[in-house]
Amino acid sequence: MKAHDGMYIDGAWRPADGRDTIEVVNPVDEQVIGTVPAGTALDVDTAVRAARAALPAWAATPPAERAARLAALRDVLVARKDEVAETVTAELGSPLKFSQAVHAAAPIAVAGSYAELAATYAFEEKVGNSVVHHEPIGVVGAITPWNYPLHQIVAKVAPALAAGCTIVLKPAEDTPLTAQLFAEAVHEAGVPAGVFNLVTGLGPVAGQALAEHPGVDLVSFTGSTAVGRRIGALAGAAVKPVALELGGKSANVILPSADLAKAVNVGVANVMSNSGQTCSAWTRMLVPADRYDEAVELAAEAAAKYGDRIGPVVNAKQQERVRGYIEKGVAEGARLVAGGPEAPREEGYFVSPTVFADVTEEMTIAQEEIFGPVLSILRYEDEEEALRIANGTVYGLAGAVWAGDEAEAVAFARRMDTGQVDINGGRFNPLAPFGGYKQSGVGRELGTHGLSEYLQTKSLQF
């Protein structure tokens, strides 16, 4: 798609305040494919004012009408799904088949789920002698990442719209074209002017202005834990609620009774998906000591198949970050069994699919989020040690458990300090709450739990 040279504010594309721009680079060939405006604090203020002006009417719109706009938005995304996939591929580098199957399809499912929830959610309930009203929290400042550019936008905007909130979106600077395409879809779906607004720009400028703006009632952010802390501090100064979906270092626990080959192969695929740029990726594989060598061999063989099947990471900075972690893993004594720090191609921001064996729990690669196609394999002697290792990071976003008996896997999963656990390869569910324990975040996204993040509660006593 052709980039817009303005901001989508109050139902129209409007000139940006300043003249600074952001180049959008294709990470496959490092070529500039477009430019978008770098928003200023004034652009943010204009967008917030538009959202505030639109709030009373949208909040008073019957839920059935809000549901109809969300259904229309879903239909537009369906009609433009090929364009969505091509745009994500161009600015993120994701292989086209993956963009079609995940980057374009997942947002459609999420938008559809909120079209249904908006029509059926109990915005009012009777509790004893009280009537409890669930009302829109107000103007939402949404700040989204580049790794799943449209899914993360829809996961915030759709429940906010369903709740009756108005929104100002600041997307990641690496993938703004997808956000502009989404703004076109919102407009085509007939969402009233001012209800959704888009400001492209840099995090320290536009993102910070949005987080600390007094006209924003809630900040919803997805990204790194470090930036989440900063946003939490900015919002906290005004006692403003935040919803934070942050980093992860998820454990893939393979219990002794599991089908080892299946668990290892699915685990490697999970880590390599989206070039490892997934916050919930199972980047630590925990294996029984007596089957460790077999698991390492299987993982190395599986990773070798991804050499020409995954795309690049998003930019040069991320490429250097991931390669730096691989070098640190080697320096700290981990054993490379696949991949390594050398770039597999001269052109593009590619990183070799990498697997480390002989990883111990105190190593940097076992504790810090790498956000690239890098898997660490750790051994354990018994289930208590496996649980301690699984819970032994500052994160708690996701994880997996494999066992021959499902009840055994569930019993272990219940003791994991994490927000979501897949049992024997359980499938993604767009209606299930997604979010983390500990430093992986605050609040939940998706389904009814995601909708509740955008609601304020008022009780009337009779």
Side-chain angles (χ1 to χ4, degrees):
M1 65 168 289
K2 182 180 178 181
H4 291 275
D5 59 3
M7 309 298 187
Y8 184 77
I9 297 175
D10 203 18
W13 293 97
R14 302 177 183 278
D17 168 54
R19 296 184 177 180
D20 290 343
T21 59
I22 298 170
E23 291 185 339
V24 184
V25 177
N26 185 325
V28 173
D29 58 14
E30 304 178 44
Q31 298 301 304
V32 176
I33 59 174
T35 60
V36 299
T40 66
L42 181 57
D43 290 314
V44 171
D45 182 67
T46 302
V48 172
R49 290 178 183 276
R52 290 224 73 85
L55 179 61
W58 184 247
T61 298
E65 289 187 33
R66 300 201 295 260
R69 290 307 98 217
L70 282 164
L73 175 59
R74 175 204 57 209
D75 293 344
V76 174
L77 294 177
V78 169
R80 301 184 69 173
K81 64 182 186 300
D82 290 340
E83 186 181 1
V84 168
E86 291 165 2
T87 302
V88 173
T89 290
E91 59 183 357
L92 183 62
S94 170
L96 184 59
K97 286 186 178 180
F98 188 81
S99 293
Q100 293 168 335
V102 177
H103 289 295
I108 291 169
V110 172
S113 73
Y114 280 112
E116 294 180 9
L117 276 173
T120 60
Y121 189 84
F123 288 97
E124 182 177 296
E125 58 184 322
K126 187 77 163 55
V127 180
N129 64 304
S130 302
V131 174
V132 179
H133 290 271
H134 301 287
E135 303 174 348
I137 202 165
V139 174
V140 173
I143 303 173
T144 56
W146 44 260
N147 59 325
Y148 290 90
L150 186 59
H151 170 67
Q152 296 289 353
I153 288 171
V154 173
K156 297 184 188 303
V157 173
L161 291 178
C165 297
T166 56
I167 310 106
V168 177
L169 169 68
K170 204 298 286 184
E173 49 264 36
D174 290 289
T175 53
L177 302 183
T178 301
Q180 289 189 341
L181 192 158
F182 178 76
E184 292 177 358
V186 167
H187 189 86
E188 189 175 341
V191 175
V195 171
F196 170 83
N197 306 274
L198 170 69
V199 175
T200 54
L202 301 176
V205 180
Q208 178 165 330
L210 186 58
E212 61 188 3
H213 197 290
V216 171
D217 299 297
L218 176 141
V219 181
S220 180
F221 168 78
T222 297
S224 72
T225 297
V227 176
R229 291 193 195 100
R230 174 63 176 160
I231 287 174
L234 291 171
V239 198
K240 183 183 303 182
V242 295
L244 304 174
E245 198 271 280
L246 308 176
K249 195 68 183 176
S250 302
N252 179 18
V253 182
I254 304 174
L255 295 177
S257 64
D259 180 337
L260 185 67
K262 181 178 181 181
V264 169
N265 280 292
V266 174
V268 170
N270 176 277
V271 173
M272 302 306 160
S273 177
N274 209 41
S275 302
Q277 299 169 128
T278 303
C279 54
S280 57
W282 311 333
T283 52
R284 294 180 297 146
M285 181 179 290
L286 279 56
V287 181
D290 62 356
R291 304 197 71 184
Y292 188 79
D293 292 341
E294 182 184 358
V296 169
E297 183 177 351
L298 287 167
E301 292 174 356
K305 299 175 183 177
Y306 288 88
D308 58 356
R309 289 167 54 185
I310 65 172
V313 293
V314 70
N315 56 36
K317 181 179 179 181
Q318 186 66 14
Q319 182 189 44
E320 286 307 305
R321 169 187 165 87
V322 176
R323 292 172 64 186
Y325 271 111
I326 297 172
E327 291 170 351
K328 183 164 286 190
V330 173
E332 292 183 356
R335 175 167 56 97
L336 272 174
V337 296
E342 297 79 14
R345 306 186 193 182
E346 291 185 5
E347 184 181 63
Y349 308 126
F350 290 87
V351 175
S352 295
T354 298
V355 177
F356 279 107
D358 300 338
V359 179
T360 55
E361 57 187 298
E362 73 279 357
M363 288 182 179
T364 303
I365 58 172
Q367 290 292 323
E368 297 184 12
E369 184 176 46
I370 298 173
F371 227 59
V374 181
L375 171 65
S376 296
I377 308 179
L378 298 87
R379 59 167 54 85
Y380 66 86
E381 295 295 335
D382 56 37
E383 289 191 18
E384 291 306 313
E385 184 179 25
L387 183 68
R388 179 179 58 75
I389 294 171
N391 290 339
T393 75
V394 298
Y395 298 110
L397 185 57
V401 183
W402 300 80
D405 178 58
E406 184 177 287
E408 179 188 3
V410 170
F412 189 96
R414 289 184 184 279
R415 297 199 290 161
M416 293 175 71
D417 297 334
T418 189
Q420 192 171 74
V421 185
D422 293 344
I423 305 298
N424 288 336
R427 294 178 294 109
F428 171 72
N429 179 2
L431 299 178
F434 180 80
Y437 289 22
K438 299 186 284 188
Q439 292 187 30
S440 283
V442 177
R444 293 293 182 268
E445 292 189 322
L446 305 180
T448 57
H449 294 80
L451 177 57
S452 67
E453 294 290 334
Y454 299 94
L455 294 170
Q456 188 69 275
T457 303
K458 177 188 293 178
S459 60
L460 306 179
Q461 280 63 251
F462 293 90

